[in-house]
Amino acid sequence: MTTATTEKIVIPVSGMTCAACQSRVQRTLSKMPGVADASVNLMMGNATIDYDPGAVNPGTLVETIRSTGYGAELPVVGQSTFDEQAARDEATSAEFSELRRKAIVSGIAGAIAMLVSMTTMGGMTRGPITWFLLALTVAVMTWAGRHFYTRAWAAFRHHSASMDTLVAVGTGAAFIYSVIATVAPGFFLRGGVQPDVYYEAVIIIIALILTGNAFEARAKRQTSAALRALAHLQPKTARVVRGSDEVDIPINDVKAADVVVVRPGERIPVDGEVISGTSAVDESMLTGESLPVKKATGARVIGGTINGTGAFRYHATTLGADSVLAQIVKLMRDAQGSRAPIQALADRVSAVFVPVVMSLAIVTFVIWFVSVHASGGLAGAAAVRGFATAVAVLIIACPCAMGLAVPTAVMVATGRGAEMGILIKGGEALQRAGDVDTVVLDKTGTITEGKPTVTDVVSVPGASRQANDLLALVASVEASSEHPLADAIVRHAKELELTVPSVEGFESLTGRGATGTVNGQVVAVGNERLMTEQHVDTAPLRADVERLSAEAKTAIYVAVDGALAGVLAVADPVRSTSREAIEHMRSIGLHVVMLTGDNQQTADAIAAVAGVERVVAGVLPEGKVAEIKRLQAEGRVVAMVGDGINDGPALVQADIGIAIGTGTDVAVEAADVALMRGDLHGVGQAIELSRRTMRTMKQNLFWAFVYNVIGIPIAAGALYPAFGLLLSPILASAAMAFSSVSVVSNSLRLRRARFT
Amino acid sequence: MQSTDWIVITAGLGALAWVNWYFFLAQRGVAATVATTGTAGMQEVHIAVHGGYEPAIVRVAAGKPVRLIFDRQETSSCSEEVVFPSFGVRKFLPAFQTTTLEVTPPLAGTYEFTCGMGMLHGKLVAE
């Protein structure tokens, strides 16, 4: 019994393989003091426990489960898809506001320091003003810049170095130098150098880098905006029928098969199947389809989409982590976190970057010292020059831009894809899709609807029977058949709301058709062979049958009482959007190939309608893989488009597998890209998006490398001999802050990418 | 060249050598921590995340699942993700919380893990 004092927890349990395992865990838990109720679900692999929090804690429950020999772990806070996203968002927005606050305050401090130091330039470098600057710098370093030093130290202890190390060493060196000049100016004067201080530089460098970090945090937040928008689609409550009432309950309490009520304009709370009512639902947020989708009894609705003007009730089906929305969010999050192979070089460079930059700074110091000294400068002046350039080198180097170049592009691109109903499963998929030059389309369910439909009903010339009556007769017989074509006929009769009489003496004749008696009439439905067997003359409709075959339709003969009555044609119609989508693919330079198991004639007919130039007919399901291998052997980078059901191996063999969706089965394992919409437009769009993304990644990497390759030598004074140009550490910090922001901003441009 | 120059050059070379030794070579000397075997034969190791991974090198038995319990003791965004490239794992580590993840090194060998930006490094050494 659950009482007011107990709490409920669901703990995932792993390793249970049988009912005995289940009962063992359940028995052990139930016997525990403080446990009110425990139920262990073998299928779900979890234990639901009502416990008294005063007597037992979740950790003990986990230990108890583990003591039975099975794995268990606490559901970590932020484990669920939506919660984890929320935790991330909270962390990034907290980071942003903290950085912004620190950047603003240290910016003001920097401005004050600058003004104060200018007033001291006229010689009054000593005295209280310098001490004031020292105090201000210490305040900024310990408050706003504190994390640079603590992190740099923590990294140092682990023999690693990060951007913080560069900032900490650079500003720390400038600070210590200034402190010596303040406390013991004589030390410098003896070396023949004015004891200048760099306090304002330290403060401004910290302020600029914090500003850059704040912008970067905000931009990084924007890179996952699409994902966040998706996570926010999930309503918090659902209105379900309980007894005779409609009650609002939290979304997590909805159970499978609950009846959910949706009113006009409301967001649909969970996935389900409509049981009554009709409406049109706006699914654009998930599928990118702009037109509302009609929903009637039996239709599937997706949680998070918006109901139009109708009202309806539906049975809840998939819930929680299994819901379409949660799966999309999870898939997107995994994709956004994945790495693209192009990043490997950046990774190798950033692993050694910081120590290398520190080495360069040391070399810079030594070279400047020796050359200034050799050209007659005093040792003190030589040290000052060497010191300033070494600090500039440390400050200008930016490993961050390299680290951000690829991941931010992957994040923005996958988010942009999701907005268009294109789910790209990671950086590697994006990279390969960008190289695709050939698209192989499976015919059935891809170019075509994948559902045979009655297209023609032809009665024999001079027949008194109406076409609909003929159809009703055939539907009566076929209602008992399991043939896929029979289903098309029965469905067609239903759609026309025909009364279908019952059949007697039904007989299915494999490979030929079926026979039965309807209203006293003997009806035979089938192919030419059946007609021959039944001694039916098919000559009167031969011309029609030939025409239908040429149109890639399957002709089905109907004989009533031994005489030919008519012909039905069934075909898998080409999707209305296929032709335009294929034209688009060709316009972006893709070679389009259609694969089908049909004979050449049918295949050519479909190809002509769809606008495909190259057809490979008569391919058995297992032949698809060989066909793709053949194309790959020609040096082509192949994308295979299929429905993910029959063509799994082909999707895997292809360089990129694209599963064309029904809007509900998101997680087609074999596919690298899943299209939420059931049309081919997404194929060209996905490839265009990938190409754009690859361009962005290359630009980012190029910029990040070039920035450092050019920036570090300039900071080191490479331009000094020729142009007398030296970079002050303050300018170096501005350049550094700008470089990572520019990389993220370039990635964000993908958000606005438009595709036809 | 004067003696000061030679002093500076020598000191510079010394600093150079030390930086490269400390960041590239000394790391190898870091002692590895051997994962403890918990209940149900699961290897377990706690790793503190604070400017790096502590321990950074973990010895485990190959072919058996390893439960890694990351305790992130900072808010620095650098360590907000941990990545195991060989296992295709990328996990968000909420600040000041522990996050558990399980991997099974299939064969003996070294499996690196890094932070989301590849700056912090750790290794699983499977034997």
Side-chain angles (χ1 to χ4, degrees):
Chain A
M1 267 301 291
T2 307
T3 65
T5 59
T6 64
E7 275 180 22
K8 186 193 283 282
I9 187 170
V10 179
I11 300 175
V13 182
S14 55
M16 294 190 297
T17 51
C18 59
C21 310
Q22 176 188 347
S23 63
R24 181 164 169 214
V25 176
Q26 185 159 332
R27 226 175 27 244
T28 314
L29 281 172
S30 306
K31 278 194 290 197
M32 273 186 82
V35 171
D37 186 36
S39 88
V40 177
N41 187 325
L42 176 64
M43 297 310 294
M44 303 287 290
N46 63 26
T48 308
I49 306 160
D50 289 321
Y51 67 100
D52 175 2
V56 66
N57 66 52
T60 325
L61 295 171
V62 167
E63 284 310 313
T64 307
I65 297 172
R66 289 192 191 165
S67 71
T68 60
Y70 302 98
E73 67 179 80
L74 275 187
V76 177
V77 180
Q79 190 88 19
S80 101
T81 310
F82 294 113
D83 291 347
E84 187 169 331
Q85 186 56 36
R88 249 169 209 257
D89 291 347
E90 210 173 295
T92 42
S93 50
E95 187 191 6
F96 170 65
S97 28
E98 193 190 332
L99 285 170
R100 186 179 52 182
R101 199 171 55 238
K102 287 180 169 176
I104 291 172
V105 174
S106 49
I108 293 169
I112 294 170
M114 192 101 115
L115 283 174
V116 170
S117 350
M118 273 195 262
T119 62
T120 63
M121 272 192 183
M124 27 189 266
T125 47
R126 303 278 65 75
I129 286 176
T130 321
W131 289 99
F132 164 74
L133 284 175
L134 170 59
L136 190 65
T137 310
V138 169
V140 169
M141 284 171 83
T142 51
W143 177 69
R146 184 189 181 86
H147 61 278
F148 293 126
Y149 307 104
T150 53
R151 286 186 211 162
W153 175 243
F156 179 79
R157 280 196 356 249
H158 294 101
H159 295 269
S160 65
S162 63
M163 194 200 88
D164 297 317
T165 312
L166 296 175
V167 176
V169 173
T171 58
F175 176 73
I176 289 166
Y177 178 94
S178 305
V179 171
I180 296 171
T182 308
V183 177
F187 179 76
F188 288 89
L189 291 167
R190 276 194 298 280
V193 184
Q194 278 300 307
D196 291 325
V197 292
Y198 292 103
Y199 292 125
E200 80 281 4
V202 172
I203 299 178
I204 291 171
I205 287 168
I206 290 176
L208 281 170
I209 291 173
L210 284 170
T211 309
N213 288 356
F215 274 118
E216 190 186 309
R218 194 180 63 175
K220 263 161 74 186
R221 201 175 129 72
Q222 284 165 354
T223 58
S224 58
L227 181 60
R228 198 158 35 246
L230 273 176
H232 285 166
L233 289 178
Q234 177 69 60
K236 298 269 179 287
T237 62
R239 189 175 303 111
V240 300
V241 176
R242 286 283 149 87
S244 56
D245 296 327
E246 291 176 8
V247 290
D248 282 335
I249 60 168
I251 205 84
N252 291 333
D253 292 350
V254 178
K255 294 187 179 60
D258 268 350
V259 175
V260 184
V261 182
V262 181
R263 294 187 189 143
E266 284 183 338
R267 207 175 270 284
I268 294 170
V270 297
D271 299 348
E273 197 175 311
V274 176
I275 48 175
S276 66
T278 55
S279 189
V281 173
D282 176 5
E283 296 186 341
S284 59
M285 59 294 287
L286 295 184
T287 63
E289 171 62 66
S290 51
L291 293 176
V293 183
K294 289 206 177 71
K295 300 287 178 186
T297 306
R300 292 190 68 173
V301 290
I302 309 171
T305 57
I306 299 176
N307 183 24
T309 50
F312 60 89
R313 292 178 169 221
Y314 69 95
H315 276 306
T317 52
T318 43
L319 296 164
D322 299 327
S323 69
V324 172
L325 187 57
Q327 284 187 47
I328 295 176
V329 170
K330 178 163 189 320
L331 201 146
M332 291 315 303
R333 226 197 28 234
D334 291 350
Q336 298 204 329
S338 68
R339 287 171 109 65
I342 192 172
Q343 199 176 345
L345 178 60
D347 283 347
R348 276 206 297 280
V349 172
S350 55
V352 300
F353 188 83
V354 176
V356 166
V357 168
M358 289 165 73
S359 307
L360 287 174
I362 294 168
V363 171
T364 303
F365 178 86
V366 171
I367 291 178
W368 272 107
F369 182 90
V370 171
S371 53
V372 171
H373 204 204
S375 56
L378 289 167
V384 169
R385 175 61 60 76
F387 183 76
T389 44
V391 169
V393 166
L394 290 174
I395 297 294
I396 204 166
C398 183
C400 281
M402 260 181 293
L404 293 168
V406 175
T408 53
V410 170
M411 287 180 80
V412 178
T414 48
R416 178 74 190 103
E419 285 172 0
M420 300 190 291
I422 300 165
L423 305 179
I424 301 166
K425 296 189 181 168
E428 199 178 342
L430 259 174
Q431 183 165 346
R432 271 181 298 148
D435 295 333
V436 163
D437 56 19
T438 302
V439 175
V440 176
L441 303 168
D442 185 35
K443 188 210 80 177
T444 309
T446 304
I447 294 177
T448 66
E449 301 273 2
K451 206 160 77 172
T453 307
V454 176
T455 54
D456 303 75
V457 181
V458 185
S459 295
V460 280
S464 58
R465 194 181 285 109
Q466 297 285 318
N468 278 356
D469 294 339
L470 180 69
L471 185 66
L473 275 182
V474 179
S476 309
V477 176
E478 297 287 25
S480 301
S481 168
E482 284 168 358
H483 199 274
L485 295 184
D487 178 57
I489 295 168
V490 175
R491 211 170 31 177
H492 191 59
K494 262 194 200 151
E495 278 164 14
L496 296 175
E497 294 178 353
L498 302 180
T499 317
V500 177
S502 61
V503 65
E504 288 160 26
F506 170 81
E507 196 180 349
S508 172
L509 305 160
T510 309
R512 285 159 291 168
T515 57
T517 308
V518 184
N519 295 340
Q521 296 165 295
V522 178
V523 181
V525 185
N527 55 16
E528 183 125 28
R529 211 170 120 207
L530 179 70
M531 294 300 122
T532 316
E533 276 179 20
Q534 306 261 333
H535 308 294
V536 176
D537 180 17
T538 57
L541 288 173
R542 182 145 300 140
D544 289 286
V545 170
E546 272 164 19
R547 174 179 59 83
L548 293 170
S549 300
E551 291 170 8
K553 294 167 180 171
T554 307
I556 301 168
Y557 292 96
V558 186
V560 177
D561 290 332
L564 188 68
V567 165
L568 299 184
V570 176
D572 183 5
V574 172
R575 290 177 200 266
S576 56
T577 51
S578 293
R579 192 183 176 88
E580 204 186 319
I582 290 167
E583 260 168 31
H584 172 234
M585 287 178 219
R586 292 171 60 178
S587 76
I588 59 169
L590 294 168
H591 183 68
V592 183
V593 180
M594 181 178 98
L595 286 192
T596 174
D598 294 344
N599 61 42
Q600 194 71 44
Q601 189 190 14
T602 310
D604 285 342
I606 299 278
V609 175
V612 178
E613 59 202 53
R614 181 162 164 188
V615 178
V616 184
V619 181
L620 297 170
E622 53 275 22
K624 288 177 187 171
V625 172
E627 195 58 40
I628 288 170
K629 278 187 183 155
R630 210 174 54 71
L631 285 164
Q632 286 170 328
E634 286 175 22
R636 294 177 182 279
V637 182
V638 180
M640 166 79 198
V641 187
D643 58 12
I645 301 164
N646 311 314
D647 33 27
L651 290 180
V652 173
Q653 174 60 42
D655 297 285
I656 280 289
I658 301 177
I660 191 160
T662 57
T664 46
D665 31 316
V666 179
V668 179
E669 283 284 325
D672 303 296
V673 177
L675 303 179
M676 293 296 289
R677 254 179 310 163
D679 70 55
L680 287 174
H681 278 301
V683 176
Q685 288 174 339
I687 291 168
E688 274 189 301
L689 175 64
S690 304
R691 288 179 179 176
R692 281 282 299 262
T693 310
M694 285 313 296
R695 243 190 347 256
T696 303
M697 288 179 187
K698 285 174 185 163
Q699 288 163 353
N700 285 351
L701 284 173
F702 178 78
W703 168 244
F705 278 111
V706 161
Y707 166 82
N708 283 300
V709 166
I710 293 179
I712 292 175
I714 292 179
L719 296 184
Y720 186 77
F723 303 100
L725 186 72
L726 273 180
L727 215 53
S728 78
I730 292 181
L731 270 178
S733 70
M736 196 289 236
F738 171 71
S739 85
S740 43
V741 172
S742 64
V743 161
V744 182
S745 307
N746 190 39
S747 296
L748 283 173
R749 291 197 308 136
L750 286 168
R751 279 171 82 190
R752 294 190 298 275
R754 290 277 169 273
F755 305 98
T756 40
Chain B
M1 285 235 243
Q2 301 172 7
S3 58
T4 21
D5 293 326
W6 288 112
I7 293 170
V8 167
I9 291 170
T10 315
L13 287 174
L16 213 55
W18 182 81
V19 163
N20 288 279
W21 168 79
Y22 187 82
F23 289 106
F24 294 127
L25 300 173
Q27 201 179 11
R28 294 194 189 143
V30 175
T33 299
V34 180
T36 54
T37 303
T39 45
M42 179 73 86
Q43 313 181 75
E44 246 180 33
V45 64
H46 288 262
I47 298 174
V49 184
H50 186 231
Y53 301 106
E54 182 72 53
I57 303 175
V58 179
R59 274 186 207 289
V60 298
K64 292 190 185 137
V66 185
R67 179 180 287 129
L68 297 150
I69 302 155
F70 285 93
D71 182 4
R72 180 162 165 243
Q73 303 157 349
E74 63 181 346
T75 50
S76 156
S77 64
C78 288
S79 62
E80 69 180 12
E81 284 178 326
V82 63
V83 182
F84 285 80
S86 0
F87 301 103
V89 171
R90 179 178 276 254
K91 187 88 183 155
F92 177 65
L93 308 175
F96 304 109
Q97 287 183 26
T98 56
T99 306
T100 302
L101 64 92
E102 278 171 24
V103 293
T104 306
L107 300 167
T110 299
Y111 301 86
E112 264 213 59
F113 57 94
T114 67
C115 70
M117 282 169 63
M119 302 298 296
L120 313 176
H121 297 265
K123 284 177 206 160
L124 277 189
V125 181
E127 296 170 332

